[in-house]
């Protein structure tokens, strides 16, 4: 009877490796002190790369007595998460040097956050969901407040912590309702129990809505978006970049897994909720951003809006919809990497410049950066040849195929509104009077990341199939034939 | 009979002390009432046959959390009366939100029906005490969850240290080696002072 449930632990090898390397880096950091921060950041990047290699080799299947599942969907999302994490930790290395925030815990906490997100994506049980979520959120709260000398950073950490704790409470309450009515926490068991007609109980619907609200907080979808602008503005820019690039992908993957694996029989109920959240996020994202003066707040509203678009694909409740969401978040991740790289380059006389008007005349002062930013902004607003257009196009196509015409039309109209503030950034860069130049001692690693991001956005037109094939096999994993 | 008396005793003291926690003027009294509430909740758990949860309540909540609260309340220089002064204006909206939520929850709980599969959650071996039964699955079936909780606690610990530990300059510490090695010649200067001029 007493056997350790280690069955299939090889499927979790990337997570196990990352967790162990986090522990090793922690010890190394304690002995070397804060002077080893840059070294540890690059070591963390190598740990992420090695974990990517391990990820390519692991077998699919359930592990740890069905608490953990590794399938093509989890593999695809984990690849995106790890790529995003590599970009963020490389940014962090040079940013921490610029800002003189030397804390060796920074890369260690990032590793633990990524472990938590990878576990979330592989969750096959409500307990695993909660622990993965808590591990990643707890690390993110600390990261937001890591610049202790800055009042804004402390404020961001505190706000994020208090509101995040409430959302965790929502999720736990939802889990308890589902456990109370279904009598199981395992995803396979719950979905089997719910597939019978008589068991479609109002209590389970309540539980599902509570879980969905908690997760909507994590992706900053609209009724739960209040924290986003303040936290994005207050946290150190490299942390903001990490927030924008990685955790939302994990959370939206978890939403997809829960809705499509646990509650497929209740799609009529959750579709209404997702449609509302999606429309509200697109609207607030589009109109809220117009008045912003700080570029980090602008990106916060942009991310609220983009999560709204991603949720259109979820609301379609079809395999095609999931496929389009996966393509969309992949492209969004690559664009965000580039934009935040450029935001980190906005420094004047050694200080970070965060106002949008600081960009004026960038096309004269540093044309390469201006054209890079222009490509990224065109892509974010969804203007045709860029990758961002294909993401939005596929989302709307999925909505139309699922006969949700009104949702698709609202999405298109609001993306026109959103295009205004992206194009305004381009107008400021190219047509406004030149201001002071930005400092030009930009770290090579940051230049490289921005270049890779811009090249990928443009190259997507020629080689889209790498993303399409991965997303297709990932979305098929959720829809057993 | 005895069971009934014990239940009502624990339940009434629990509710009474819980109300006292939020109404007591002195925060130290609030914490002490909280401890009383925890003890009574533990009593209710024993009556239900969940002795492990009762044990956890006493050890974790009374032993650690409540003592920590008491410590914080006594260390912090915060006037709780001032904090509370503005709170009354939020009461109406709080009552409305709470009332709506309560109404909704009453509706779902009135439709409460366990799924037929609920028996799955019962222990296989009745002869085990529930501490043993939990131990059997916690370290075997839920081994993965156990390890993840360990990581969550580690991150909490790192977080607390990152956010609060700071090196202060100018703090006077005992350095025994240096103190013993001090020589009079290093620290005392002898000046010849001529009368009427000063040093």
């Amino acid at each position: 009877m007493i056997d350790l449930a280690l069955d299939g632990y090889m499927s979790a090898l990337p997570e196990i490796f990352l967790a162990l390397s986090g522990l090793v880096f922690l010890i190394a950091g304690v002995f070397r002190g804060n002077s080893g921060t840059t070294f540890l950041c690059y070591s963390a990047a190598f740990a992420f790369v090695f974990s990517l290699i391990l990820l390519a080799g692991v077998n699919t299947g359930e592990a740890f007595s069905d608490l953990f599942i590794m399938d093509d969907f989890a593999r695809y999302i984990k690849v995106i998460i790890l790529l995003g994490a590599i970009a963020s930790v490389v940014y962090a290395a040079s940013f921490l040097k610029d800002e003189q925030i030397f804390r060796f815990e920074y890369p260690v906490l990032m590793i633990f956050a990524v472990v938590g997100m990878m576990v979330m994506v592989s969750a096959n049980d409500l307990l695993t969901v909660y622990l993965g979520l808590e591990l990643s959120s707890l690390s993110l709260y600390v990261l937001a407040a890591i610049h202790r000398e800055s009042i804004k950073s402390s404020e961001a950490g505190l706000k994020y912590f208090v509101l995040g704790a409430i959302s965790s409470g929502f999720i736990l309450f939802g889990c308890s309702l589902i456990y109370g009515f279904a009598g199981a926490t395992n995803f396979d068991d719950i979905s089997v129990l719910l597939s019978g007609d008589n068991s479609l109980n109002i209590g389970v619907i309540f539980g599902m809505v509570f879980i969905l609200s908690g997760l909507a907080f994590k992706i900053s979808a609209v009724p739960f978006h209040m924290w986003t602008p303040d936290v994005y503005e207050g946290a150190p820019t490299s942390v903001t970049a990490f927030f924008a690039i990685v955790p939302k992908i994990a959370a939206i993957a978890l939403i997809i897994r829960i809705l499509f694996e646990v509650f497929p029989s209740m799609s009529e109920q959750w579709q209404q909720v997702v449609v509302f959240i999606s429309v509200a996020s697109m609207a607030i994202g589009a109109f809220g951003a117009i008045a912003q003066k700080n570029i980090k707040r602008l990106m916060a509203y942009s991310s609220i809006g983009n999560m709204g678009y991603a949720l259109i694909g979820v609301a379609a409740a079809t395999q095609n919809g999931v496929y389009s969401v996966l393509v969309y978040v992949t492209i969004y991740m690559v664009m965000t990497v580039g934009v935040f790289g450029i935001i980190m380059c906005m420094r004047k006389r050694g200080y970070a410049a965060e106002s949008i008007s600081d960009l004026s005349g960038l096309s004269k002062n540093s044309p390469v950066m201006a054209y890079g930013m222009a490509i990224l902004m065109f892509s974010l607003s969804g203007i045709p040849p860029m990758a961002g257009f294909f993401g939005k196009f596929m989302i709307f196509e999925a909505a139309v195929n699922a006969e949700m015409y009104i949702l698709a039309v609202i999405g298109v109209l609001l993306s026109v509104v959103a295009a205004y503030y992206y194009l305004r950034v381009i107008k400021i860069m190219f047509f406004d009077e030149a201001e002071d130049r930005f400092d030009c001692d930009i770290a090579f690693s940051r230049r490289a990341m921005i270049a890779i991001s811009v090249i990928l956005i443009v190259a997507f037109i020629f080689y889209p199939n790498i993303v399409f094939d991965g997303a297709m096999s990932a979305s098929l994993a959720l829809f057993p034939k | 009979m005895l069971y009934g008396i014990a239940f009502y005793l624990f339940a009434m003291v629990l509710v009474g002390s819980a109300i006292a926690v939020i109404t007591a003027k002195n925060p130290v009294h609030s914490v002490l009432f909280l401890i009383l509430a925890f003890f009574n909740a533990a009593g209710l758990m024993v009556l239900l046959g969940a002795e492990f949860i009762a044990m956890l309540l006493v050890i974790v909540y009374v032993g650690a959390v409540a003592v920590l609260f008491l410590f914080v309340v006594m260390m912090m220089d915060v006037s709780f009366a001032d904090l509370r002064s503005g709170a009354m204006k939020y009461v109406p909206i709080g009552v409305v939100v709470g009332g709506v939520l309560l109404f909704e929850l009453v509706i779902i709980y009135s439709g409460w029906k366990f799924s037929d599969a609920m028996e799955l959650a019962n222990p296989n071996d009745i002869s085990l005490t529930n501490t043993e039964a939990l131990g059997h699955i916690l370290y075997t079936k839920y081994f993965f969850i156990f390890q993840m909780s360990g990581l969550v606690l580690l991150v909490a610990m790192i977080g607390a240290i990152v956010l609060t530990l700071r090196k202060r300059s100018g703090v006077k510490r005992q350095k025994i080696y240096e103190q013993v090695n001090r020589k009079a010649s290093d620290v005392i200067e002898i000046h010849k002072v001529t009368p009427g001029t000063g040093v």
Side-chain angles (χ1 to χ4, degrees), chain A residues 211-390:
Chain A
I211 291 187
L212 205 53
S213 320
L215 290 176
F217 174 89
K218 303 287 174 195
I219 61 166
S220 71
V222 153
F224 313 99
H225 67 289
M226 310 291 183
W227 59 276
T228 322
D230 291 345
V231 172
Y232 272 45
E233 188 189 357
T237 310
S238 64
V239 177
T240 312
F242 184 49
F243 282 2
I245 296 168
V246 192
K248 294 191 169 177
I249 295 170
I252 206 153
L254 184 56
I255 289 180
I256 291 174
R257 190 183 285 287
I258 288 183
L259 293 184
F260 287 87
E261 285 216 324
V262 187
F263 300 112
S265 56
M266 289 161 62
S267 60
E268 280 179 23
Q269 277 80 16
W270 57 254
Q271 259 179 323
Q272 311 163 0
V273 181
V274 176
V275 166
F276 167 74
I277 294 179
S278 157
V279 171
S281 310
M282 287 187 295
I284 299 275
F287 291 109
I290 291 175
Q292 298 307 321
K293 295 193 171 58
N294 181 305
I295 188 129
K296 282 158 85 181
R297 288 183 85 88
L298 180 86
M299 287 310 291
Y301 280 100
S302 154
S303 91
I304 294 172
N306 276 295
M307 287 300 124
Y309 291 111
L311 285 175
I312 292 183
V314 179
T318 55
Q319 184 255 327
N320 193 10
V322 174
Y323 167 61
S324 64
V325 176
L326 294 178
V327 174
Y328 190 84
V329 295
T330 311
I331 295 170
Y332 175 68
M333 189 275 283
V334 176
M335 294 186 296
T336 322
V337 166
V339 173
F340 273 97
I342 290 175
I343 293 176
M344 276 183 232
C345 295
M346 293 168 58
R347 304 182 68 80
K348 288 181 175 170
R349 284 173 233 98
Y351 289 98
E354 291 182 353
S355 160
I356 300 175
S357 60
D358 286 321
L359 282 167
S360 54
L362 189 67
S363 63
K364 294 189 188 63
N365 291 337
S366 42
V368 179
M369 201 202 274
Y371 281 102
M373 187 71 160
I375 289 175
L376 292 166
M377 285 292 148
F378 276 129
S379 180
L380 272 170
S381 57
I383 286 175
M386 308 302 169
F389 165 73
F390 293 98

Side-chain angles (χ1 to χ4, degrees), chain A residues 69 73 99 118-119 162 194 230 322 356-357 364 415 438 473:
Chain A
I69 185 170
F73 177 74
E99 289 282 318
M118 288 168 79
V119 169
V162 171
L194 292 181
D230 291 345
V322 174
I356 300 175
S357 60
K364 294 189 188 63
S415 78
F438 291 136
S473 66

Side-chain angles (χ1 to χ4, degrees), chain A residues 79-133:
Chain A
V79 169
I80 307 291
I81 289 177
L82 284 171
L83 290 176
I86 293 169
S88 333
V89 83
V90 168
Y91 279 157
S94 57
F95 178 82
L96 295 181
K97 205 186 283 173
D98 284 348
E99 289 282 318
Q100 297 291 311
I101 310 172
F102 289 115
R103 302 204 64 98
F104 72 85
E105 292 93 345
Y106 188 109
V108 174
L109 285 169
M110 263 181 89
I111 289 180
F112 285 127
V114 170
V115 172
M117 290 175 222
M118 288 168 79
V119 169
M120 257 159 80
V121 171
S122 274
N124 197 35
D125 193 291
L126 292 174
L127 286 171
T128 320
V129 168
Y130 180 68
L131 282 167
L133 203 67

Side-chain angles (χ1 to χ4, degrees), chain A residues 2-6 23 64-65 68 103 105 112 128 131 135 138-139 142 145 148 179-183 193 206, chain B residues 108 112-115 117-118 121 136 139-145 151-152 154-155 158-159 162-166:
Chain A
I2 303 178
D3 282 324
L4 272 185
L6 285 177
L23 297 176
F64 301 115
S65 63
F68 185 94
R103 302 204 64 98
E105 292 93 345
F112 285 127
T128 320
L131 282 167
L135 181 58
L138 208 54
S139 316
V142 182
R148 287 194 315 209
Y179 179 61
F181 283 96
L193 289 169
F206 258 72
Chain B
I108 40 166
W112 186 284
K113 186 168 75 60
F114 283 120
S115 158
M118 199 57 191
H136 276 300
Y139 301 113
T140 56
K141 187 179 174 202
Y142 291 110
F143 174 73
F144 177 67
I145 297 296
L151 278 185
V152 172
L154 175 69
V155 168
I158 299 173
V162 169
L163 297 181
T164 56
L165 182 73
R166 55 188 77 215

